[in-house]
Amino acid sequence: MEGSLLKRLGIPVQEVVLSASNTKNQGILIQETLPSFSLYTKDNLRIDVPGIPCGELVAAFEKDCERYMAITLKKEKKQTNHLWQVLEKYIRAVPNCPKDISFAKGALIRFFREYRNLRNENIDMSAIIRSAIQEGIHFDFYEKGNTSGGGAESLQDSVAQYSSKRRTVEFNCAHYFTDPKRTHNTLAHELCHYIMDDKGKGGYFGTFFESDIGRFWYEMMKSEAFYGKKEWDKAKKELSAEGKDLYGTSSFFTHLASEYRPLLKGYPDPAARMGEMFARVMGIMAERKKGIAVWEPKDMKRMGLQLICDLAAAKANRNEPFYRILIDTIQKTKISPRAKEQLLALKGCQEEITEKGTYTTHEYKAFRKHSSDLAKTMCAVYTAFLEAVRVKRIQQSSPEQIQAEDTLSDQAGGFYDRLAKSSDVRNGRISFRQAQKKRAEAKQAPQKYPLVPISRLEPEK
């Protein structure tokens, strides 16, 4: 049942037959594997690597982390490479593996870490990797970005890219490894482009990008980036001294501001700029503990990402009717004139601060008021959106269909979470198998009558 569910969700798994002298202990263990990937050498040799058991990778990763901590405490001097040793073992098992695969070392280590963060920290965000695997999105790693014939000619100056034409996420190994943005999950970034590419136009044009709710969320996130400007430091310090609990002071806002600035120069097309903003915010949150769950469900910052994750979850669960309801409702949701007026007031306040060049406590309070007013209105819009989705779902589905869909979604989240935890312990394979056996024993029908020793049934002498 559970193995079947994993396959329905497109989760990469490996079946291992377990056996013992006692036939009651025979069975099949389902292990999570890293998604299969391909390496492209500078000579355009392609090496296809099948799924690598995550349990082995996690155990090796933890050993490397322990050594790193020991070095920090000056108890050890040399860092270990257990994670790369596991990766290398499986890559070298491929028949056409070349002698030198060192070009992929740093990139694959980072890929595993980003997959694990995206996969384990938050069930909402894990849907984007599940849906990508379900739909056959492949992962390619290039030694040289302009490899001829590999289809990654435009990758030479990039860290990574999603290709809707080739249905791949492609990484430039050298740039991906050396990219200094460790606060950014590149895998989540590119998968965000994939899930928003419902029209197959390359990741920058889709239903959500073209909708009112998508455009407004983008404009609001630009205003959130404004909180991260260094010019606010003095005003924030003064307000903090007054004992005020300030909005916009966490590292998220500084990271968002640093991600937004390059968009103004590098992406002249407004549609591409908006698509990048969505992807970069997703990348920031995928690196953070708890993912988007760090925000309340109706927090304005969570709205856009939650909708993207909901679309991905519908795809991952193969719930096409629910996916179409979400797309249709996103298209038809319109923003009220009041929200438009509030947005103009917020932008006007922002422009005035920028023109004057003053970032005082007065300007901060004024900007915060306009920002808060718009966030409240958008929260009401989002609540109405969720209600519209609920009503459409009831109208288009029978109660039995809705219950079956909800059950599948709950099973997917619960089992995927349990599988992640089984991979995250030292002896994941054994503990996971023990849990399987306990569930099987619990399902056995109880005996109708208790067993009584024969000696008790004999008459007393």
Side-chain angles (χ1 to χ4, degrees):
M1 172 62 184
E2 290 173 338
S4 173
L5 175 62
L6 284 172
K7 291 174 182 176
R8 288 174 64 191
L9 296 173
I11 298 170
V13 294
Q14 181 179 73
E15 294 183 353
V16 180
V17 178
L18 303 177
S19 61
S21 57
N22 186 343
T23 55
K24 287 177 65 178
N25 292 330
Q26 289 181 346
I28 294 177
L29 170 65
I30 306 296
Q31 293 187 105
E32 181 190 10
T33 62
L34 194 68
S36 58
F37 56 88
S38 297
L39 304 179
Y40 286 86
T41 69
K42 61 184 177 182
D43 299 320
N44 205 30
L45 173 66
R46 172 173 171 165
I47 306 113
D48 294 323
V49 184
I52 302 173
C54 281
E56 279 190 65
L57 293 169
V58 169
F61 175 70
E62 288 179 347
K63 288 180 182 178
D64 289 340
C65 288
E66 287 176 3
R67 177 56 66 93
Y68 178 78
M69 291 302 296
I71 293 172
T72 304
L73 297 171
K74 297 183 178 180
K75 294 182 178 180
E76 297 286 351
K77 293 182 179 180
K78 189 176 181 181
Q79 180 62 44
T80 56
N81 289 295
H82 295 297
L83 180 56
W84 171 241
Q85 288 169 8
V86 174
L87 288 165
E88 186 178 25
K89 177 181 70 173
Y90 283 92
I91 296 171
R92 293 208 175 278
V94 177
N96 67 332
C97 179
K99 185 177 180 180
D100 184 13
I101 56 172
S102 59
F103 71 90
K105 180 178 178 180
L108 289 178
I109 288 173
R110 184 172 182 184
F111 177 71
F112 166 73
R113 292 184 64 204
E114 290 192 335
Y115 168 82
R116 186 166 176 260
N117 285 348
L118 177 60
R119 161 70 182 75
N120 289 3
E121 291 298 340
N122 179 265
I123 198 64
D124 292 303
M125 297 188 77
S126 74
I128 63 176
I129 185 70
R130 289 193 290 129
S131 60
I133 295 167
Q134 178 74 267
E135 297 217 318
I137 300 298
H138 198 62
F139 304 95
D140 292 342
F141 295 82
Y142 289 84
E143 180 176 7
K144 191 175 180 182
N146 61 349
T147 303
S148 60
E153 292 83 0
S154 62
L155 189 60
Q156 188 172 11
D157 298 322
S158 303
V159 174
Q161 66 184 14
Y162 159 70
S163 171
S164 59
K165 181 179 179 180
R166 293 181 290 276
R167 303 287 288 169
T168 58
V169 175
E170 300 162 341
F171 300 90
N172 183 327
C173 285
H175 292 178
Y176 183 47
F177 172 57
T178 58
D179 181 22
K181 292 188 291 188
R182 297 301 181 184
T183 57
H184 186 103
N185 188 309
T186 302
L187 176 60
H189 176 130
E190 299 305 331
L191 290 176
C192 184
H193 284 308
Y194 141 71
I195 198 61
M196 296 311 300
D197 188 41
D198 63 304
K199 296 188 175 182
K201 296 182 180 180
Y204 290 131
F205 303 91
T207 298
F208 192 37
F209 296 150
E210 297 166 0
S211 69
D212 265 15
I213 196 169
R215 291 191 181 110
F216 260 71
W217 190 80
Y218 170 58
E219 293 298 330
M220 292 170 73
M221 293 312 296
K222 285 163 62 177
S223 298
E224 296 293 284
F226 196 66
Y227 282 109
K229 293 175 73 70
K230 291 182 179 179
E231 290 87 342
W232 284 118
D233 289 350
K234 184 179 178 182
K236 289 176 180 177
K237 188 175 181 180
E238 291 173 356
L239 288 166
S240 181
E242 297 176 15
K244 300 287 179 66
D245 184 17
L246 297 182
Y247 181 83
T249 55
S250 77
S251 59
F252 165 77
F253 297 92
T254 55
H255 292 159
L256 182 63
S258 67
E259 292 285 1
Y260 176 60
R261 280 193 294 270
L263 300 187
L264 301 177
K265 296 181 180 179
Y267 295 84
D269 185 342
R273 193 180 296 170
M274 181 163 62
E276 274 297 299
M277 176 65 97
F278 280 108
R280 292 185 183 211
V281 177
M282 184 72 81
I284 291 172
M285 295 315 298
E287 275 299 300
R288 290 177 164 245
K289 195 171 184 180
K290 295 185 180 180
I292 61 173
V294 71
W295 293 319
E296 294 295 322
K298 291 187 179 179
D299 188 303
M300 180 275 299
K301 297 185 292 301
R302 183 170 176 172
M303 293 176 194
L305 297 187
Q306 185 65 62
L307 284 176
I308 294 171
C309 291
D310 289 346
L311 288 166
K315 281 286 187 184
N317 298 345
R318 292 188 177 178
N319 193 345
E320 191 63 26
F322 186 49
Y323 179 83
R324 296 315 314 172
I325 287 173
L326 285 172
I327 289 290
D328 182 61
T329 311
I330 287 170
Q331 288 176 324
K332 293 180 180 178
T333 298
K334 300 301 178 183
I335 303 300
S336 66
R338 181 187 177 193
K340 293 177 182 178
E341 291 173 4
Q342 289 174 328
L343 178 60
L344 289 174
L346 175 63
K347 294 299 177 182
C349 180
Q350 181 177 330
E351 289 173 9
E352 184 177 340
I353 293 170
T354 304
E355 288 176 7
K356 288 167 58 179
T358 57
Y359 291 74
T360 64
T361 57
H362 174 74
E363 273 77 22
Y364 175 87
K365 290 176 181 177
F367 185 72
R368 176 67 187 132
K369 181 183 183 303
H370 289 301
S371 178
S372 180
D373 289 344
L374 181 59
K376 289 176 183 176
T377 301
M378 285 302 295
C379 183
V381 171
Y382 185 60
T383 301
F385 168 86
L386 294 177
E387 178 60 18
V389 169
R390 188 187 70 82
V391 171
K392 285 183 181 178
R393 196 178 180 202
I394 292 173
Q395 290 173 345
Q396 297 182 21
S397 307
S398 66
E400 292 77 14
Q401 286 175 313
I402 293 174
Q403 184 177 2
E405 291 169 2
D406 288 342
T407 299
L408 176 62
S409 180
D410 291 342
Q411 287 178 335
F415 186 74
Y416 202 61
D417 186 52
R418 292 201 305 276
L419 191 63
K421 289 176 181 176
S422 77
S423 298
D424 270 355
V425 294
R426 285 283 179 167
N427 213 341
R429 172 172 171 161
I430 293 177
S431 64
F432 188 65
R433 179 58 182 151
Q434 288 173 342
Q436 281 184 321
K437 289 171 67 178
K438 285 182 180 178
R439 286 194 295 274
E441 291 168 359
K443 290 178 182 178
Q444 292 178 359
Q447 294 175 342
K448 192 172 183 180
Y449 301 104
L451 290 176
V452 180
I454 294 177
S455 59
R456 282 193 177 181
L457 299 177
E458 295 177 352
E460 296 182 3
K461 295 181 180 180

